[in-house]
Amino acid sequence: MDQTHSAPKVLVTGGAGYIGSHAVLELLAAGYRVVVLDNLSNSSAESLRRVTELTGKPAPLVVGDIRDRGLVTDLLAREQVQAVIHFAGLKAVGESVEQPLAYYDNNVNGTIILLECLAAAGVRALVFSSSATVYGDPQQVPVPVDAPLGPTNPYGQTKAMIEQILGDLAISDPRWALGILRYFNPVGAHPSGRIGEDPRGIPNNLMPYVSQVAVGRLAELAVFGGDYPTPDGTGVRDYIHVVDLARGHVAALARVLARPGKFTVNLGTGRGHSVLEIAHAFEKASGRRVPYRVVGRRPGDIAQCYADASSARQLLDWQAELGLAAMCADAWRWQSDNPQGYGEAS
Ligand code: NAD
Ligand code: WQD
């Protein structure tokens, strides 16, 4: 795509966050212009400064909330975007059980307000961050995109509700172009080591926890359950490199810009890896030890989940390219180059 002012401009909500910052980088590399709206509730503006450093292109940030109708309306009037990639949301499963109203308000209400502002501005192309969590405990693996939904926590409910809202919106007005992307387990970092995942406090998710054990910030990994019906007894997931995931958004954006209608795809590699495989692959990539202890199962966890990603291949001509070794090597480079995340820089 050319680099002139005729290149489409994209609003990226939540674009300062982990996946959003990697997507902004890939969008700029593909020739799109961007404007980010993020309230920085779980991120730092430093991520976007580094995206500009890496790409040599502007990644302007508006600090604000998707629920701020006046701010979103003004932004859309000013920026004249052609499409939106909507990452903004709260994503911690455990926290969503403790604070369901905060999750329904931020994720569901926030998305409704954003969609109302978009409709009023005549912007009807949107890519939405959904999650494999909408499947709950899947009846079959690999999980086909038409598998029944059954989220088991408020966070997952918000994703399923937003999917429902987007489906009804597409029916109400066929001019909408809506892409629903169900991510499996995003991990890793940009290979430069300049941007990556920077969780606040002790990580909930496996890969950032393992990284912090390897770098010496945490003592040992607690493996949640060694008695699942899986090859080594530990949980199996479909880990997808965040750069592959970001590129999936570029492909989805091209589609929503090209044609109306709604589509839903799984974004995963189609391969499952166990917790112990991750720990061992990380030791290999980092040259550090990852001491672990098997403890009881984490409530709400499932044995295994990995994607049938054939719909993404068919509809988006996209498939994951990067394997577990790259995921661990890139996560390690980010962690070892930035042991405190963006902490000192932000
Ligand atoms: P993240 O927390 O790093 O990014 C989300 C961003 O949205 C943050 O920068 C946060 O400050 C911002 N934000 C939150 N609420 C906002 C609001 N009301 N207004 C403006 N900005 C707001 O998380 P991530 O891992 O990059 O996830 C991005 C999206 O992908 C989320 O919607 C998440 O639910 C979804 N998702 C993530 C995963 C995962 O494992 N990381 C898996 C599946 C789906
Ligand atoms: C992976 C595996 C754990 C931490 C979550 C959300 C999901 C999606 C992705 C947003 C499991 C095990 C973990 C640890 C461990 N997010 N584990 N010790 O649970 O598959 O998915 O993130 O949409 O909605 O639920 O990912 O990284 O937490 O766990 O043994 O300290 O690692 O039991 O088998 P999960 P995870």
mmCIF file of all heavy atoms in Angstrom, residues 280-324:
data_model
loop_
_atom_site.group_PDB
_atom_site.id
_atom_site.type_symbol
_atom_site.label_atom_id
_atom_site.label_comp_id
_atom_site.label_asym_id
_atom_site.label_seq_id
_atom_site.Cartn_x
_atom_site.Cartn_y
_atom_site.Cartn_z
ATOM 1 N N HIS A 280 9.901 -26.225 29.206
ATOM 2 C CA HIS A 280 11.143 -26.770 28.633
ATOM 3 C C HIS A 280 11.600 -25.963 27.423
ATOM 4 O O HIS A 280 12.802 -25.684 27.272
ATOM 5 C CB HIS A 280 10.960 -28.247 28.287
ATOM 6 C CG HIS A 280 10.768 -29.108 29.509
ATOM 7 N ND1 HIS A 280 9.851 -30.127 29.589
ATOM 8 C CD2 HIS A 280 11.372 -29.058 30.730
ATOM 9 C CE1 HIS A 280 9.895 -30.681 30.795
ATOM 10 N NE2 HIS A 280 10.809 -30.037 31.510
ATOM 11 N N ALA A 281 10.666 -25.575 26.556
ATOM 12 C CA ALA A 281 11.032 -24.768 25.371
ATOM 13 C C ALA A 281 11.615 -23.429 25.814
ATOM 14 O O ALA A 281 12.539 -22.892 25.195
ATOM 15 C CB ALA A 281 9.806 -24.554 24.481
ATOM 16 N N PHE A 282 11.085 -22.896 26.915
ATOM 17 C CA PHE A 282 11.587 -21.605 27.399
ATOM 18 C C PHE A 282 13.002 -21.755 27.973
ATOM 19 O O PHE A 282 13.863 -20.886 27.772
ATOM 20 C CB PHE A 282 10.649 -20.998 28.452
ATOM 21 C CG PHE A 282 10.734 -19.510 28.484
ATOM 22 C CD1 PHE A 282 9.891 -18.742 27.713
ATOM 23 C CD2 PHE A 282 11.700 -18.866 29.246
ATOM 24 C CE1 PHE A 282 9.993 -17.355 27.697
ATOM 25 C CE2 PHE A 282 11.810 -17.481 29.235
ATOM 26 C CZ PHE A 282 10.963 -16.728 28.465
ATOM 27 N N GLU A 283 13.252 -22.864 28.634
ATOM 28 C CA GLU A 283 14.614 -23.114 29.158
ATOM 29 C C GLU A 283 15.608 -23.173 28.002
ATOM 30 O O GLU A 283 16.695 -22.603 28.065
ATOM 31 C CB GLU A 283 14.648 -24.434 29.931
ATOM 32 C CG GLU A 283 13.982 -24.331 31.294
ATOM 33 C CD GLU A 283 14.151 -25.587 32.143
ATOM 34 O OE1 GLU A 283 14.186 -26.698 31.558
ATOM 35 O OE2 GLU A 283 14.236 -25.445 33.378
ATOM 36 N N LYS A 284 15.192 -23.831 26.936
ATOM 37 C CA LYS A 284 16.066 -23.980 25.763
ATOM 38 C C LYS A 284 16.336 -22.613 25.123
ATOM 39 O O LYS A 284 17.471 -22.278 24.780
ATOM 40 C CB LYS A 284 15.373 -24.912 24.760
ATOM 41 C CG LYS A 284 16.314 -25.628 23.853
ATOM 42 C CD LYS A 284 15.600 -26.767 23.137
ATOM 43 C CE LYS A 284 16.415 -27.139 21.912
ATOM 44 N NZ LYS A 284 15.638 -27.912 20.961
ATOM 45 N N ALA A 285 15.281 -21.811 24.997
ATOM 46 C CA ALA A 285 15.426 -20.512 24.328
ATOM 47 C C ALA A 285 16.247 -19.539 25.166
ATOM 48 O O ALA A 285 16.968 -18.695 24.626
ATOM 49 C CB ALA A 285 14.041 -19.924 24.052
ATOM 50 N N SER A 286 16.138 -19.643 26.484
ATOM 51 C CA SER A 286 16.748 -18.634 27.358
ATOM 52 C C SER A 286 18.093 -19.068 27.922
ATOM 53 O O SER A 286 18.875 -18.229 28.384
ATOM 54 C CB SER A 286 15.806 -18.328 28.531
ATOM 55 O OG SER A 286 15.652 -19.478 29.338
ATOM 56 N N GLY A 287 18.337 -20.371 27.934
ATOM 57 C CA GLY A 287 19.542 -20.855 28.599
ATOM 58 C C GLY A 287 19.448 -20.733 30.116
ATOM 59 O O GLY A 287 20.435 -20.913 30.824
ATOM 60 N N ARG A 288 18.257 -20.420 30.624
ATOM 61 C CA ARG A 288 18.041 -20.316 32.084
ATOM 62 C C ARG A 288 17.189 -21.493 32.555
ATOM 63 O O ARG A 288 16.452 -22.076 31.766
ATOM 64 C CB ARG A 288 17.288 -19.024 32.424
ATOM 65 C CG ARG A 288 18.001 -17.756 32.023
ATOM 66 C CD ARG A 288 19.166 -17.482 32.943
ATOM 67 N NE ARG A 288 19.798 -16.216 32.587
ATOM 68 C CZ ARG A 288 19.534 -15.057 33.203
ATOM 69 N NH1 ARG A 288 18.631 -14.989 34.168
ATOM 70 N NH2 ARG A 288 20.164 -13.953 32.831
ATOM 71 N N ARG A 289 17.234 -21.758 33.831
ATOM 72 C CA ARG A 289 16.368 -22.799 34.386
ATOM 73 C C ARG A 289 14.993 -22.216 34.721
ATOM 74 O O ARG A 289 14.884 -21.056 35.101
ATOM 75 C CB ARG A 289 16.993 -23.396 35.651
ATOM 76 C CG ARG A 289 18.102 -24.414 35.328
ATOM 77 C CD ARG A 289 18.464 -25.244 36.547
ATOM 78 N NE ARG A 289 17.317 -25.997 37.071
ATOM 79 C CZ ARG A 289 16.832 -25.850 38.304
ATOM 80 N NH1 ARG A 289 17.368 -25.010 39.145
ATOM 81 N NH2 ARG A 289 15.786 -26.565 38.691
ATOM 82 N N VAL A 290 13.985 -23.053 34.542
ATOM 83 C CA VAL A 290 12.630 -22.667 34.959
ATOM 84 C C VAL A 290 12.168 -23.703 35.988
ATOM 85 O O VAL A 290 11.511 -24.688 35.643
ATOM 86 C CB VAL A 290 11.661 -22.599 33.753
ATOM 87 C CG1 VAL A 290 10.251 -22.255 34.215
ATOM 88 C CG2 VAL A 290 12.147 -21.592 32.714
ATOM 89 N N PRO A 291 12.545 -23.525 37.264
ATOM 90 C CA PRO A 291 12.106 -24.491 38.264
ATOM 91 C C PRO A 291 10.586 -24.489 38.370
ATOM 92 O O PRO A 291 9.953 -23.431 38.255
ATOM 93 C CB PRO A 291 12.744 -23.990 39.563
ATOM 94 C CG PRO A 291 13.398 -22.701 39.260
ATOM 95 C CD PRO A 291 13.328 -22.424 37.806
ATOM 96 N N TYR A 292 10.008 -25.662 38.559
ATOM 97 C CA TYR A 292 8.546 -25.727 38.670
ATOM 98 C C TYR A 292 8.127 -26.754 39.706
ATOM 99 O O TYR A 292 8.898 -27.640 40.075
ATOM 100 C CB TYR A 292 7.903 -26.035 37.313
ATOM 101 C CG TYR A 292 8.164 -27.425 36.778
ATOM 102 C CD1 TYR A 292 7.389 -28.517 37.204
ATOM 103 C CD2 TYR A 292 9.162 -27.659 35.858
ATOM 104 C CE1 TYR A 292 7.621 -29.789 36.712
ATOM 105 C CE2 TYR A 292 9.408 -28.932 35.370
ATOM 106 C CZ TYR A 292 8.642 -29.995 35.799
ATOM 107 O OH TYR A 292 8.878 -31.256 35.322
ATOM 108 N N ARG A 293 6.902 -26.582 40.146
ATOM 109 C CA ARG A 293 6.289 -27.533 41.069
ATOM 110 C C ARG A 293 4.856 -27.741 40.623
ATOM 111 O O ARG A 293 4.156 -26.765 40.315
ATOM 112 C CB ARG A 293 6.320 -26.930 42.481
ATOM 113 C CG ARG A 293 6.029 -27.912 43.602
ATOM 114 C CD ARG A 293 6.591 -27.385 44.942
ATOM 115 N NE ARG A 293 6.365 -25.956 45.080
ATOM 116 C CZ ARG A 293 5.324 -25.423 45.710
ATOM 117 N NH1 ARG A 293 4.408 -26.178 46.262
ATOM 118 N NH2 ARG A 293 5.200 -24.100 45.807
ATOM 119 N N VAL A 294 4.436 -29.007 40.572
ATOM 120 C CA VAL A 294 3.048 -29.281 40.185
ATOM 121 C C VAL A 294 2.165 -29.093 41.417
ATOM 122 O O VAL A 294 2.434 -29.669 42.471
ATOM 123 C CB VAL A 294 2.907 -30.707 39.608
ATOM 124 C CG1 VAL A 294 1.445 -30.988 39.249
ATOM 125 C CG2 VAL A 294 3.807 -30.878 38.374
ATOM 126 N N VAL A 295 1.155 -28.248 41.267
ATOM 127 C CA VAL A 295 0.206 -27.998 42.371
ATOM 128 C C VAL A 295 -1.198 -28.379 41.882
ATOM 129 O O VAL A 295 -1.348 -28.937 40.792
ATOM 130 C CB VAL A 295 0.272 -26.516 42.832
ATOM 131 C CG1 VAL A 295 1.672 -26.155 43.301
ATOM 132 C CG2 VAL A 295 -0.182 -25.563 41.724
ATOM 133 N N GLY A 296 -2.212 -28.063 42.665
ATOM 134 C CA GLY A 296 -3.586 -28.413 42.290
ATOM 135 C C GLY A 296 -4.050 -27.633 41.055
ATOM 136 O O GLY A 296 -3.448 -26.638 40.653
ATOM 137 N N ARG A 297 -5.132 -28.117 40.476
ATOM 138 C CA ARG A 297 -5.711 -27.443 39.308
ATOM 139 C C ARG A 297 -6.190 -26.038 39.670
ATOM 140 O O ARG A 297 -6.628 -25.804 40.798
ATOM 141 C CB ARG A 297 -6.906 -28.234 38.781
ATOM 142 C CG ARG A 297 -6.543 -29.587 38.217
ATOM 143 C CD ARG A 297 -7.805 -30.257 37.680
ATOM 144 N NE ARG A 297 -7.507 -31.575 37.105
ATOM 145 C CZ ARG A 297 -8.384 -32.299 36.425
ATOM 146 N NH1 ARG A 297 -9.621 -31.844 36.250
ATOM 147 N NH2 ARG A 297 -8.041 -33.465 35.929
ATOM 148 N N ARG A 298 -6.132 -25.128 38.719
ATOM 149 C CA ARG A 298 -6.696 -23.781 38.921
ATOM 150 C C ARG A 298 -8.196 -23.867 38.625
ATOM 151 O O ARG A 298 -8.573 -24.360 37.552
ATOM 152 C CB ARG A 298 -6.002 -22.796 37.960
ATOM 153 C CG ARG A 298 -6.451 -21.359 38.098
ATOM 154 C CD ARG A 298 -5.567 -20.408 37.289
ATOM 155 N NE ARG A 298 -5.621 -20.642 35.853
ATOM 156 C CZ ARG A 298 -4.939 -19.938 34.947
ATOM 157 N NH1 ARG A 298 -4.157 -18.939 35.333
ATOM 158 N NH2 ARG A 298 -5.038 -20.211 33.668
ATOM 159 N N PRO A 299 -9.037 -23.371 39.540
ATOM 160 C CA PRO A 299 -10.485 -23.469 39.302
ATOM 161 C C PRO A 299 -10.863 -22.844 37.956
ATOM 162 O O PRO A 299 -10.362 -21.778 37.606
ATOM 163 C CB PRO A 299 -11.100 -22.673 40.463
ATOM 164 C CG PRO A 299 -10.042 -22.624 41.514
ATOM 165 C CD PRO A 299 -8.724 -22.686 40.811
ATOM 166 N N GLY A 300 -11.729 -23.522 37.235
ATOM 167 C CA GLY A 300 -12.204 -22.984 35.957
ATOM 168 C C GLY A 300 -11.349 -23.385 34.769
ATOM 169 O O GLY A 300 -11.748 -23.168 33.626
ATOM 170 N N ASP A 301 -10.159 -23.955 34.995
ATOM 171 C CA ASP A 301 -9.299 -24.344 33.871
ATOM 172 C C ASP A 301 -9.852 -25.573 33.161
ATOM 173 O O ASP A 301 -10.543 -26.398 33.761
ATOM 174 C CB ASP A 301 -7.881 -24.651 34.364
ATOM 175 C CG ASP A 301 -6.978 -23.430 34.315
ATOM 176 O OD1 ASP A 301 -7.444 -22.363 33.871
ATOM 177 O OD2 ASP A 301 -5.802 -23.550 34.726
ATOM 178 N N ILE A 302 -9.499 -25.700 31.892
ATOM 179 C CA ILE A 302 -9.912 -26.857 31.102
ATOM 180 C C ILE A 302 -8.667 -27.659 30.721
ATOM 181 O O ILE A 302 -7.544 -27.160 30.817
ATOM 182 C CB ILE A 302 -10.683 -26.418 29.843
ATOM 183 C CG1 ILE A 302 -9.846 -25.437 29.011
ATOM 184 C CG2 ILE A 302 -12.002 -25.804 30.230
ATOM 185 C CD1 ILE A 302 -10.508 -25.012 27.718
ATOM 186 N N ALA A 303 -8.884 -28.898 30.289
ATOM 187 C CA ALA A 303 -7.737 -29.772 29.969
ATOM 188 C C ALA A 303 -7.034 -29.295 28.710
ATOM 189 O O ALA A 303 -5.825 -29.094 28.694
ATOM 190 C CB ALA A 303 -8.223 -31.208 29.793
ATOM 191 N N GLN A 304 -7.797 -29.136 27.634
ATOM 192 C CA GLN A 304 -7.131 -28.785 26.381
ATOM 193 C C GLN A 304 -8.009 -27.936 25.481
ATOM 194 O O GLN A 304 -9.236 -28.052 25.502
ATOM 195 C CB GLN A 304 -6.667 -30.036 25.649
ATOM 196 C CG GLN A 304 -7.745 -31.050 25.402
ATOM 197 C CD GLN A 304 -7.212 -32.226 24.599
ATOM 198 O OE1 GLN A 304 -6.093 -32.183 24.090
ATOM 199 N NE2 GLN A 304 -8.016 -33.271 24.457
ATOM 200 N N CYS A 305 -7.330 -27.101 24.700
ATOM 201 C CA CYS A 305 -8.033 -26.215 23.775
ATOM 202 C C CYS A 305 -7.059 -25.803 22.686
ATOM 203 O O CYS A 305 -6.019 -25.228 22.968
ATOM 204 C CB CYS A 305 -8.526 -24.981 24.537
ATOM 205 S SG CYS A 305 -9.497 -23.858 23.528
ATOM 206 N N TYR A 306 -7.352 -26.182 21.452
ATOM 207 C CA TYR A 306 -6.584 -25.667 20.321
ATOM 208 C C TYR A 306 -7.487 -25.521 19.110
ATOM 209 O O TYR A 306 -8.548 -26.129 19.023
ATOM 210 C CB TYR A 306 -5.313 -26.490 20.026
ATOM 211 C CG TYR A 306 -5.492 -27.974 19.920
ATOM 212 C CD1 TYR A 306 -5.679 -28.582 18.683
ATOM 213 C CD2 TYR A 306 -5.459 -28.783 21.060
ATOM 214 C CE1 TYR A 306 -5.833 -29.957 18.581
ATOM 215 C CE2 TYR A 306 -5.610 -30.156 20.963
ATOM 216 C CZ TYR A 306 -5.802 -30.735 19.718
ATOM 217 O OH TYR A 306 -5.968 -32.086 19.629
ATOM 218 N N ALA A 307 -7.046 -24.680 18.191
ATOM 219 C CA ALA A 307 -7.941 -24.155 17.154
ATOM 220 C C ALA A 307 -7.992 -25.010 15.897
ATOM 221 O O ALA A 307 -6.981 -25.551 15.471
ATOM 222 C CB ALA A 307 -7.470 -22.755 16.753
ATOM 223 N N ASP A 308 -9.166 -25.040 15.308
ATOM 224 C CA ASP A 308 -9.274 -25.323 13.879
ATOM 225 C C ASP A 308 -9.294 -23.941 13.231
ATOM 226 O O ASP A 308 -10.291 -23.222 13.312
ATOM 227 C CB ASP A 308 -10.562 -26.086 13.591
ATOM 228 C CG ASP A 308 -10.815 -26.263 12.103
ATOM 229 O OD1 ASP A 308 -10.182 -25.548 11.293
ATOM 230 O OD2 ASP A 308 -11.670 -27.092 11.746
ATOM 231 N N ALA A 309 -8.164 -23.566 12.632
ATOM 232 C CA ALA A 309 -8.031 -22.199 12.095
ATOM 233 C C ALA A 309 -8.269 -22.168 10.586
ATOM 234 O O ALA A 309 -7.860 -21.228 9.910
ATOM 235 C CB ALA A 309 -6.652 -21.642 12.439
ATOM 236 N N SER A 310 -8.975 -23.187 10.062
ATOM 237 C CA SER A 310 -9.150 -23.244 8.604
ATOM 238 C C SER A 310 -9.990 -22.078 8.085
ATOM 239 O O SER A 310 -9.799 -21.627 6.951
ATOM 240 C CB SER A 310 -9.754 -24.584 8.186
ATOM 241 O OG SER A 310 -10.940 -24.814 8.906
ATOM 242 N N SER A 311 -10.906 -21.555 8.918
ATOM 243 C CA SER A 311 -11.743 -20.437 8.435
ATOM 244 C C SER A 311 -10.868 -19.207 8.166
ATOM 245 O O SER A 311 -11.121 -18.447 7.223
ATOM 246 C CB SER A 311 -12.840 -20.104 9.434
ATOM 247 O OG SER A 311 -12.282 -19.830 10.702
ATOM 248 N N ALA A 312 -9.824 -18.997 8.965
ATOM 249 C CA ALA A 312 -8.945 -17.835 8.745
ATOM 250 C C ALA A 312 -8.143 -18.017 7.457
ATOM 251 O O ALA A 312 -7.885 -17.056 6.735
ATOM 252 C CB ALA A 312 -8.006 -17.652 9.932
ATOM 253 N N ARG A 313 -7.762 -19.258 7.185
ATOM 254 C CA ARG A 313 -7.036 -19.512 5.936
ATOM 255 C C ARG A 313 -7.939 -19.229 4.738
ATOM 256 O O ARG A 313 -7.548 -18.581 3.776
ATOM 257 C CB ARG A 313 -6.564 -20.967 5.914
ATOM 258 C CG ARG A 313 -5.158 -21.096 5.421
ATOM 259 C CD ARG A 313 -4.533 -22.466 5.559
ATOM 260 N NE ARG A 313 -5.425 -23.591 5.671
ATOM 261 C CZ ARG A 313 -5.559 -24.336 6.771
ATOM 262 N NH1 ARG A 313 -4.868 -24.046 7.846
ATOM 263 N NH2 ARG A 313 -6.377 -25.363 6.787
ATOM 264 N N GLN A 314 -9.178 -19.699 4.835
ATOM 265 C CA GLN A 314 -10.100 -19.530 3.702
ATOM 266 C C GLN A 314 -10.527 -18.078 3.527
ATOM 267 O O GLN A 314 -10.508 -17.550 2.415
ATOM 268 C CB GLN A 314 -11.350 -20.395 3.909
ATOM 269 C CG GLN A 314 -11.099 -21.867 3.638
ATOM 270 C CD GLN A 314 -12.021 -22.774 4.463
ATOM 271 O OE1 GLN A 314 -13.027 -22.319 5.021
ATOM 272 N NE2 GLN A 314 -11.664 -24.041 4.556
ATOM 273 N N LEU A 315 -10.909 -17.411 4.621
ATOM 274 C CA LEU A 315 -11.503 -16.070 4.492
ATOM 275 C C LEU A 315 -10.458 -14.970 4.425
ATOM 276 O O LEU A 315 -10.680 -13.937 3.805
ATOM 277 C CB LEU A 315 -12.440 -15.790 5.674
ATOM 278 C CG LEU A 315 -13.672 -16.684 5.775
ATOM 279 C CD1 LEU A 315 -14.485 -16.333 7.008
ATOM 280 C CD2 LEU A 315 -14.531 -16.550 4.527
ATOM 281 N N LEU A 316 -9.325 -15.170 5.089
ATOM 282 C CA LEU A 316 -8.336 -14.087 5.207
ATOM 283 C C LEU A 316 -7.022 -14.409 4.516
ATOM 284 O O LEU A 316 -6.118 -13.568 4.484
ATOM 285 C CB LEU A 316 -8.040 -13.803 6.696
ATOM 286 C CG LEU A 316 -9.239 -13.478 7.581
ATOM 287 C CD1 LEU A 316 -8.778 -13.251 9.015
ATOM 288 C CD2 LEU A 316 -9.971 -12.252 7.050
ATOM 289 N N ASP A 317 -6.899 -15.635 4.012
ATOM 290 C CA ASP A 317 -5.627 -16.060 3.430
ATOM 291 C C ASP A 317 -4.493 -15.866 4.443
ATOM 292 O O ASP A 317 -3.409 -15.425 4.118
ATOM 293 C CB ASP A 317 -5.345 -15.263 2.142
ATOM 294 C CG ASP A 317 -4.215 -15.888 1.335
ATOM 295 O OD1 ASP A 317 -3.973 -17.092 1.506
ATOM 296 O OD2 ASP A 317 -3.560 -15.155 0.560
ATOM 297 N N TRP A 318 -4.797 -16.189 5.670
ATOM 298 C CA TRP A 318 -3.843 -16.021 6.766
ATOM 299 C C TRP A 318 -3.606 -17.348 7.461
ATOM 300 O O TRP A 318 -4.541 -18.122 7.649
ATOM 301 C CB TRP A 318 -4.412 -15.032 7.802
ATOM 302 C CG TRP A 318 -3.597 -14.952 9.068
ATOM 303 C CD1 TRP A 318 -2.597 -14.077 9.343
ATOM 304 C CD2 TRP A 318 -3.711 -15.802 10.225
ATOM 305 N NE1 TRP A 318 -2.075 -14.324 10.595
ATOM 306 C CE2 TRP A 318 -2.735 -15.385 11.154
ATOM 307 C CE3 TRP A 318 -4.527 -16.894 10.559
ATOM 308 C CZ2 TRP A 318 -2.564 -15.998 12.401
ATOM 309 C CZ3 TRP A 318 -4.355 -17.508 11.799
ATOM 310 C CH2 TRP A 318 -3.388 -17.051 12.699
ATOM 311 N N GLN A 319 -2.369 -17.598 7.830
ATOM 312 C CA GLN A 319 -2.098 -18.685 8.767
ATOM 313 C C GLN A 319 -0.865 -18.345 9.593
ATOM 314 O O GLN A 319 -0.021 -17.553 9.169
ATOM 315 C CB GLN A 319 -1.953 -20.033 8.073
ATOM 316 C CG GLN A 319 -0.805 -20.112 7.106
ATOM 317 C CD GLN A 319 -0.745 -21.482 6.410
ATOM 318 O OE1 GLN A 319 -1.635 -22.310 6.540
ATOM 319 N NE2 GLN A 319 0.330 -21.701 5.680
ATOM 320 N N ALA A 320 -0.789 -18.928 10.770
ATOM 321 C CA ALA A 320 0.350 -18.664 11.651
ATOM 322 C C ALA A 320 1.613 -19.265 11.044
ATOM 323 O O ALA A 320 1.579 -20.351 10.473
ATOM 324 C CB ALA A 320 0.087 -19.266 13.028
ATOM 325 N N GLU A 321 2.710 -18.521 11.157
ATOM 326 C CA GLU A 321 3.981 -18.966 10.568
ATOM 327 C C GLU A 321 5.008 -19.322 11.639
ATOM 328 O O GLU A 321 5.962 -20.039 11.357
ATOM 329 C CB GLU A 321 4.601 -17.834 9.710
ATOM 330 C CG GLU A 321 3.666 -17.206 8.666
ATOM 331 C CD GLU A 321 3.523 -18.085 7.440
ATOM 332 O OE1 GLU A 321 4.301 -19.049 7.309
ATOM 333 O OE2 GLU A 321 2.602 -17.809 6.630
ATOM 334 N N LEU A 322 4.876 -18.748 12.822
ATOM 335 C CA LEU A 322 5.952 -18.834 13.819
ATOM 336 C C LEU A 322 5.659 -19.917 14.857
ATOM 337 O O LEU A 322 4.533 -20.025 15.347
ATOM 338 C CB LEU A 322 6.121 -17.468 14.504
ATOM 339 C CG LEU A 322 6.467 -16.339 13.522
ATOM 340 C CD1 LEU A 322 6.240 -14.971 14.159
ATOM 341 C CD2 LEU A 322 7.913 -16.468 13.061
ATOM 342 N N GLY A 323 6.666 -20.698 15.179
ATOM 343 C CA GLY A 323 6.495 -21.822 16.093
ATOM 344 C C GLY A 323 6.910 -21.488 17.520
ATOM 345 O O GLY A 323 7.290 -20.350 17.848
ATOM 346 N N LEU A 324 6.871 -22.533 18.346
ATOM 347 C CA LEU A 324 7.120 -22.366 19.775
ATOM 348 C C LEU A 324 8.520 -21.818 20.069
ATOM 349 O O LEU A 324 8.690 -21.001 20.986
ATOM 350 C CB LEU A 324 6.906 -23.714 20.478
ATOM 351 C CG LEU A 324 6.952 -23.720 21.988
ATOM 352 C CD1 LEU A 324 5.950 -22.731 22.573
ATOM 353 C CD2 LEU A 324 6.664 -25.136 22.502
#
